[in-house]
């Protein structure tokens, strides 16, 4: 189907580009970008993410440093580790895997990371930079979604964009990025009145809600581009589970001009963009221009 946006293929292309640029940085400047990932506890989903991040970091030619701490780690100990990593010249990116255990204040930890080593774009300094359009690090999932949109549509200027969801990690940064691209942006949320009507105005519809298949085909303007950020596990056939997005793909793909599937759409972009952010921070810290 020509209207499917293949995030998996795009992410592979992006990783190949990063691999080439990392090799150039090493050769021309003697710097090997290094990404440290910190995992507290043994959340199974987080363990898989961290493993995949480490593997893909190394495949791109960067150094990967993994720090696994027990679930009962006190906040002070985690902050000490962050401080060590902030001062380690071999580490250019620091990622603390969320969620953190209850005894730890996630915000305090994320804001303890040197903003120039923040690869998630969650540090208040980087949130501020994005808000005023200054150069900084942008959260991985929304940046991946923007890359897919620009690849498919080219210039986004003047388009009506509706973002459903206003979380700090997806909805708000997504809206800020669309605004930077000169879209006319509406942010919808759980108190929005007549959400289907709001969605029908969208040339670009971004769903970041966390409600399986909530957005139906008849909420979508014919020809619109639909980016489904949602990842929801629901019961499938024969006692198995399956992943679906926030958009009902069967009906939406009949109407949309282009649409990201789940899985295989926005999801694969997240780690690829994380690697992109780590490479960018290595360049920033060392005063190197990111290679073309
Ligand atoms: P979140 O923090 O739970 O935020 C959900 C947002 O959706 C909130 O702003 C909420 O509105 C809004 N919402 C909830 N019910 C709604 C309704 N009935 N109508 C309209 N809006 C509604 O979720 P998140 O972290 O942004 O994640 C959203 C989805 O993206 C999840 O499925 C998550 O798994 C997925 N995700 C994927 C990736 C990836 O692809 N790598 C990364 C991150 C997240 P209020 O603010 O009014 O409560």
């Amino acid at each position: 189907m020509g209207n499917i946006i293949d995030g998996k293929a795009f992410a592979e292309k992006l990783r190949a580009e990063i691999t080439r640029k990392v090799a150039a940085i090493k050769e021309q400047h003697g710097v090997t970008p290094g990404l440290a990932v910190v995992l507290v506890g043994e959340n199974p989903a987080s363990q898989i993410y961290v493993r995949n991040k480490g593997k893909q970091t190394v495949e791109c030619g960067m150094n990967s440093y993994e720090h696994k701490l027990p679930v009962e780690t006190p906040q002070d100990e985690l902050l000490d580790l962050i401080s060590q990593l902030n001062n380690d010249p071999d580490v250019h990116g620091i990622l603390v895997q969320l969620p953190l255990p209850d005894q730890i204040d996630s915000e305090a930890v994320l804001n303890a990371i040197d903003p120039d080593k923040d690869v998630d774009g969650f540090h208040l300094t980087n949130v501020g930079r994005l808000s005023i359009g200054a150069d900084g690090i942008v959260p991985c999932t929304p940046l991946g979604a923007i890359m897919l949109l620009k690849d498919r549509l080219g210039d986004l200027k003047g388009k009506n964009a509706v973002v459903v969801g206003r979380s700090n990690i997806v909805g708000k940064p997504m809206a800020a990025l669309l605004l930077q691209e000169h879209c006319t942006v509406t942010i919808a949320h759980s108190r929005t009145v007549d959400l289907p009507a709001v969605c029908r105005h969208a040339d670009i519809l971004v769903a970041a809600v966390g409600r399986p298949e909530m957005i139906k085909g008849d909420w979508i303007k014919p020809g619109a581009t639909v980016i489904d950020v949602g990842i929801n596990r629901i019961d499938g056939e024969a006692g198995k589970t399956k992943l679906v997005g926030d958009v009902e793909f069967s009906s939406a793909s009949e109407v949309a001009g282009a649409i990201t599937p789940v899985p295989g759409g926005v999801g694969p972009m997240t780690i690829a963009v994380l690697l992109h952010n780590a490479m960018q921070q290595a360049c920033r810290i060392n005063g190197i221009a990111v290679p073309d």
Side-chain angles (χ1 to χ4, degrees), residues 281-292:
Q281 293 295 48
C283 290
R284 180 195 281 265
I285 289 167
N286 287 286
I288 299 168
V290 177
D292 289 330

PDB file of all heavy atoms in Angstrom, residues 281-292:
ATOM      1  N   GLN A 281      25.366  15.627  20.429  1.00  0.00           N
ATOM      2  CA  GLN A 281      25.948  16.131  21.685  1.00  0.00           C
ATOM      3  C   GLN A 281      27.464  15.964  21.685  1.00  0.00           C
ATOM      4  O   GLN A 281      28.186  16.839  22.187  1.00  0.00           O
ATOM      5  CB  GLN A 281      25.337  15.423  22.909  1.00  0.00           C
ATOM      6  CG  GLN A 281      23.863  15.721  23.164  1.00  0.00           C
ATOM      7  CD  GLN A 281      23.564  17.164  23.528  1.00  0.00           C
ATOM      8  OE1 GLN A 281      24.035  18.083  22.868  1.00  0.00           O
ATOM      9  NE2 GLN A 281      22.758  17.380  24.551  1.00  0.00           N
ATOM     10  N   ALA A 282      27.960  14.852  21.130  1.00  0.00           N
ATOM     11  CA  ALA A 282      29.420  14.646  21.062  1.00  0.00           C
ATOM     12  C   ALA A 282      30.052  15.777  20.247  1.00  0.00           C
ATOM     13  O   ALA A 282      31.120  16.299  20.592  1.00  0.00           O
ATOM     14  CB  ALA A 282      29.744  13.286  20.453  1.00  0.00           C
ATOM     15  N   CYS A 283      29.378  16.169  19.180  1.00  0.00           N
ATOM     16  CA  CYS A 283      29.897  17.260  18.345  1.00  0.00           C
ATOM     17  C   CYS A 283      29.829  18.586  19.098  1.00  0.00           C
ATOM     18  O   CYS A 283      30.789  19.361  19.099  1.00  0.00           O
ATOM     19  CB  CYS A 283      29.092  17.348  17.038  1.00  0.00           C
ATOM     20  SG  CYS A 283      29.413  15.970  15.940  1.00  0.00           S
ATOM     21  N   ARG A 284      28.704  18.824  19.749  1.00  0.00           N
ATOM     22  CA  ARG A 284      28.523  20.085  20.477  1.00  0.00           C
ATOM     23  C   ARG A 284      29.600  20.236  21.563  1.00  0.00           C
ATOM     24  O   ARG A 284      30.258  21.274  21.672  1.00  0.00           O
ATOM     25  CB  ARG A 284      27.134  20.094  21.121  1.00  0.00           C
ATOM     26  CG  ARG A 284      26.821  21.365  21.909  1.00  0.00           C
ATOM     27  CD  ARG A 284      25.608  21.138  22.795  1.00  0.00           C
ATOM     28  NE  ARG A 284      24.359  21.227  22.059  1.00  0.00           N
ATOM     29  CZ  ARG A 284      23.620  22.340  21.980  1.00  0.00           C
ATOM     30  NH1 ARG A 284      24.005  23.419  22.603  1.00  0.00           N
ATOM     31  NH2 ARG A 284      22.497  22.361  21.312  1.00  0.00           N
ATOM     32  N   ILE A 285      29.802  19.161  22.356  1.00  0.00           N
ATOM     33  CA  ILE A 285      30.753  19.214  23.471  1.00  0.00           C
ATOM     34  C   ILE A 285      32.176  19.461  22.960  1.00  0.00           C
ATOM     35  O   ILE A 285      32.966  20.169  23.580  1.00  0.00           O
ATOM     36  CB  ILE A 285      30.685  17.893  24.289  1.00  0.00           C
ATOM     37  CG1 ILE A 285      29.366  17.838  25.066  1.00  0.00           C
ATOM     38  CG2 ILE A 285      31.877  17.748  25.242  1.00  0.00           C
ATOM     39  CD1 ILE A 285      29.043  16.470  25.661  1.00  0.00           C
ATOM     40  N   ASN A 286      32.491  18.884  21.801  1.00  0.00           N
ATOM     41  CA  ASN A 286      33.859  18.997  21.278  1.00  0.00           C
ATOM     42  C   ASN A 286      34.021  20.140  20.266  1.00  0.00           C
ATOM     43  O   ASN A 286      35.074  20.253  19.631  1.00  0.00           O
ATOM     44  CB  ASN A 286      34.270  17.669  20.638  1.00  0.00           C
ATOM     45  CG  ASN A 286      34.532  16.606  21.701  1.00  0.00           C
ATOM     46  OD1 ASN A 286      35.540  16.637  22.386  1.00  0.00           O
ATOM     47  ND2 ASN A 286      33.582  15.693  21.862  1.00  0.00           N
ATOM     48  N   GLY A 287      32.983  20.949  20.107  1.00  0.00           N
ATOM     49  CA  GLY A 287      33.066  22.074  19.180  1.00  0.00           C
ATOM     50  C   GLY A 287      33.284  21.641  17.732  1.00  0.00           C
ATOM     51  O   GLY A 287      33.986  22.309  16.961  1.00  0.00           O
ATOM     52  N   ILE A 288      32.668  20.532  17.368  1.00  0.00           N
ATOM     53  CA  ILE A 288      32.818  19.978  16.009  1.00  0.00           C
ATOM     54  C   ILE A 288      31.500  20.197  15.259  1.00  0.00           C
ATOM     55  O   ILE A 288      30.426  20.000  15.841  1.00  0.00           O
ATOM     56  CB  ILE A 288      33.072  18.447  16.084  1.00  0.00           C
ATOM     57  CG1 ILE A 288      34.347  18.115  16.855  1.00  0.00           C
ATOM     58  CG2 ILE A 288      33.073  17.810  14.721  1.00  0.00           C
ATOM     59  CD1 ILE A 288      34.462  16.610  17.186  1.00  0.00           C
ATOM     60  N   ALA A 289      31.584  20.547  13.974  1.00  0.00           N
ATOM     61  CA  ALA A 289      30.355  20.634  13.180  1.00  0.00           C
ATOM     62  C   ALA A 289      29.902  19.199  12.863  1.00  0.00           C
ATOM     63  O   ALA A 289      30.734  18.349  12.546  1.00  0.00           O
ATOM     64  CB  ALA A 289      30.623  21.397  11.887  1.00  0.00           C
ATOM     65  N   VAL A 290      28.589  18.939  12.956  1.00  0.00           N
ATOM     66  CA  VAL A 290      28.091  17.596  12.602  1.00  0.00           C
ATOM     67  C   VAL A 290      28.394  17.368  11.122  1.00  0.00           C
ATOM     68  O   VAL A 290      28.051  18.209  10.283  1.00  0.00           O
ATOM     69  CB  VAL A 290      26.567  17.482  12.868  1.00  0.00           C
ATOM     70  CG1 VAL A 290      26.038  16.123  12.436  1.00  0.00           C
ATOM     71  CG2 VAL A 290      26.241  17.743  14.337  1.00  0.00           C
ATOM     72  N   PRO A 291      29.074  16.252  10.775  1.00  0.00           N
ATOM     73  CA  PRO A 291      29.426  16.033   9.361  1.00  0.00           C
ATOM     74  C   PRO A 291      28.174  15.986   8.472  1.00  0.00           C
ATOM     75  O   PRO A 291      27.113  15.581   8.929  1.00  0.00           O
ATOM     76  CB  PRO A 291      30.100  14.649   9.385  1.00  0.00           C
ATOM     77  CG  PRO A 291      30.529  14.420  10.794  1.00  0.00           C
ATOM     78  CD  PRO A 291      29.556  15.163  11.644  1.00  0.00           C
ATOM     79  N   ASP A 292      28.322  16.399   7.205  1.00  0.00           N
ATOM     80  CA  ASP A 292      27.182  16.384   6.258  1.00  0.00           C
ATOM     81  C   ASP A 292      26.822  14.946   5.882  1.00  0.00           C
ATOM     82  O   ASP A 292      27.667  14.097   5.803  1.00  0.00           O
ATOM     83  CB  ASP A 292      27.547  17.142   4.990  1.00  0.00           C
ATOM     84  CG  ASP A 292      27.619  18.633   5.271  1.00  0.00           C
ATOM     85  OD1 ASP A 292      26.886  19.097   6.176  1.00  0.00           O
ATOM     86  OD2 ASP A 292      28.416  19.303   4.597  1.00  0.00           O
TER      87      ASP A 292
END
